[in-house]
Structure formats: C-alpha cells, structure tokens
C-alpha cells in the first residue's frame, strides 16, 4: 500500500476472543525458541508471565530448545526487550522542525527517534524516556540569540544518532494508546489523542 502512495494509521494488534458453547475462548499458539543455555531461564520467565505453558525443554547442540503453548495475546510484543520501560517522549510545542540544541539538552533523559530538522507535530512520539513514565518535551526550541558572544559560551552539540525502527519493529513497539502513522516516505508513532489534556481525561475514563 505504501508503494501505491497510500497513507494510513494502525493501532496495536488486538486479539479477537470467540464464544464457543457459551465459553469465552481465545486463540492459543505454539511458541518455539532456541536460545543459549544461559538465557533460557529469562525466556521461560517472560513466556510464563504471558500465561505460556512450557511443554518441551531439551538440548539442541549448544542451544536450549523450548516449546510453549501460549495465548496469542501473550505473543504481542514478545520480541521486545522487556528490560526497557518503554515510556515515551511526546512533543508538545507544535508543528515544525526539531533542533539539535533542544535534543542535546534532553539527551540524558533517554533516546530519541528523530533527527535535528525533522518536522514534528503535537502528540508525536519522539523518543523513549529512561524512567518509567511518559513525559511531554519541547525539542523545537532554539538557542537564545544575544548581541554579544562571550568567549567559550557556545555549547558543543553532540547528538547521538536517532534510533530508527523498521515497520515491523514499530508495530511491536506501539502501545494501546498510540497509532503508527504510515506514509510512502515515513513511519511515525503518535498518541491517539494528540492533546496532552485530552489524553489525561481519557486515561481517567479507562480507570
């Protein structure tokens, strides 16, 4: 569809439940994982947290072969590294390009998905916060101009390269309150409700 010039938005994948003979049922899948021995315990922990049932555990050369019966909903975003909190930076300032100066001042807060000069809009997900909460940031502000330049006052801006996602990785990464915006030229993550205040109101309704 992108090759044909279409633009679309998609949300986080959702599992479809079905009622069979009056019983609510959900799809169960087979998960097969071959991992080094030292990481097998972590994989088992992650799978069982998602209601996975370990059915086979056996050596396979230098690897450990694991098989699980697991609900489909447990597989959504399973490839993601769960050691991350996956909290977001949301842009707040408005439409326009982000600046190297603004990104540089916030680099110690996390990882950014955008480069200086990229056009942004309110509610766009622009990075991953290093702590376990979403925050709204302004990465469009520039350095204040003065009439005189003091010796040594200019900052040496060193921007860490932006983290880039493939289409598949973006699909795994988005959360239930986000959309993936797909165009022929770009892939962007955004909040479903772009306005910060509206997001707060909707979050309270879901509680």
């Amino acid at each position: 569809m992108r090759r044909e010039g279409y633009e679309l938005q998609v949300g986080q994948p959702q599992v479809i439940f079905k009622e069979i003979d009056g019983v609510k049922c959900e799809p169960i899948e087979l998960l097969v994982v071959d991992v080094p021995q030292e990481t097998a315990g972590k994989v088992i922990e992650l799978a069982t947290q998602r209601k996975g049932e370990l059915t086979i555990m056996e050596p396979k050369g230098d690897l450990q072969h694991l098989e699980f019966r697991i609900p489909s909903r447990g597989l959504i975003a399973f490839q993601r590294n769960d050691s991350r909190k996956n909290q977001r930076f949301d842009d707040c300032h408005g439409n326009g390009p982000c600046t190297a100066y603004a990104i540089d001042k916030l680099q110690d807060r996390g990882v950014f998905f955008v480069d200086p000069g990229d056009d942004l809009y309110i509610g766009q997900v622009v990075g991953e916060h290093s702590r376990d909460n979403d925050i709204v940031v302004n990465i469009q502000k520039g350095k204040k101009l003065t009439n005189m330049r003091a010796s040594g006052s200019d900052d040496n801006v060193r921007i860490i390269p932006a983290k880039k996602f493939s289409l598949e990785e973006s699909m795994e990464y988005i959360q239930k309150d986000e959309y993936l915006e797909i165009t022929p030229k770009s892939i962007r993550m955004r909040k479903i409700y772009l306005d910060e205040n509206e997001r707060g109101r909707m979050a309270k309704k879901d509680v």
Side-chain angles (χ1 to χ4, degrees):
M1 293 179 69
R2 296 181 72 195
R3 287 194 293 267
E4 296 296 325
Y6 287 94
E7 298 184 4
L8 62 149
Q9 291 184 149
V10 295
Q12 188 184 65
Q14 302 293 322
V15 172
I16 299 175
F17 293 86
K18 187 176 182 180
E19 188 170 305
I20 302 175
D21 297 329
V23 179
K24 185 179 181 181
C25 300
E26 63 176 309
I28 302 293
E29 300 191 37
L30 173 65
L31 172 64
V32 179
V33 185
D34 293 323
V35 293
Q37 178 69 42
E38 60 270 20
T39 60
K42 181 62 175 178
V43 173
I44 293 172
E45 178 186 351
L46 292 175
T48 52
Q49 285 176 355
R50 292 170 165 80
K51 310 300 181 184
E53 176 187 353
L54 180 62
T55 58
I56 296 176
M57 180 177 180
E58 58 189 16
K60 185 178 180 180
D62 295 332
L63 302 176
Q64 193 74 21
H65 178 79
L66 308 171
E67 294 187 13
F68 302 86
R69 292 184 72 256
I70 186 170
S72 295
R73 60 191 167 103
L75 286 176
I76 294 176
F78 185 80
Q79 294 178 6
R80 211 163 49 203
N81 181 354
D82 276 25
S83 65
R84 289 186 281 137
K85 291 296 184 181
N86 293 316
Q87 303 305 322
R88 311 302 208 242
F89 288 132
D90 306 325
D91 188 60
C92 69
H93 189 263
N95 298 334
C98 59
T99 67
Y101 173 76
I103 291 178
D104 180 58
K105 295 302 180 184
L106 291 167
Q107 284 188 123
D108 61 338
R109 299 281 195 93
V111 178
F112 283 92
F113 307 153
V114 293
D115 291 307
D118 287 353
D119 282 324
L120 309 178
Y121 57 85
I122 293 174
Q124 183 176 341
V125 176
V126 296
E128 179 182 291
H129 193 196
S130 57
R131 300 196 178 189
D132 60 351
N133 64 304
D134 287 6
I135 62 171
V136 175
V137 297
N138 177 5
I139 57 171
Q140 293 168 294
K141 60 185 178 181
K143 189 173 182 179
K144 293 182 179 179
L145 300 178
T146 58
N147 293 327
M148 297 181 64
R149 179 181 296 169
S151 175
S153 64
D154 285 345
D155 293 329
N156 292 319
V157 177
R158 295 184 179 88
I159 302 299
I160 298 171
K163 181 174 183 177
K164 300 299 183 181
F165 293 84
S166 67
L167 178 58
E168 292 76 13
E169 289 170 338
S170 300
M171 286 292 297
E172 292 177 352
Y173 190 84
I174 58 173
Q175 297 182 346
K176 65 180 182 179
D177 65 337
E178 296 167 353
Y179 282 145
L180 186 62
E181 189 176 74
I182 304 168
T183 75
K185 294 183 178 180
S186 62
I187 298 173
R188 293 184 289 262
M189 288 175 274
R190 50 156 286 186
K191 292 296 184 181
I192 293 176
Y193 301 102
L194 298 178
D195 180 75
E196 181 186 7
N197 295 323
E198 187 176 8
R199 289 200 298 273
R201 289 194 298 269
M202 299 307 296
K204 290 179 180 178
K205 288 183 179 180
D206 292 337
V207 174

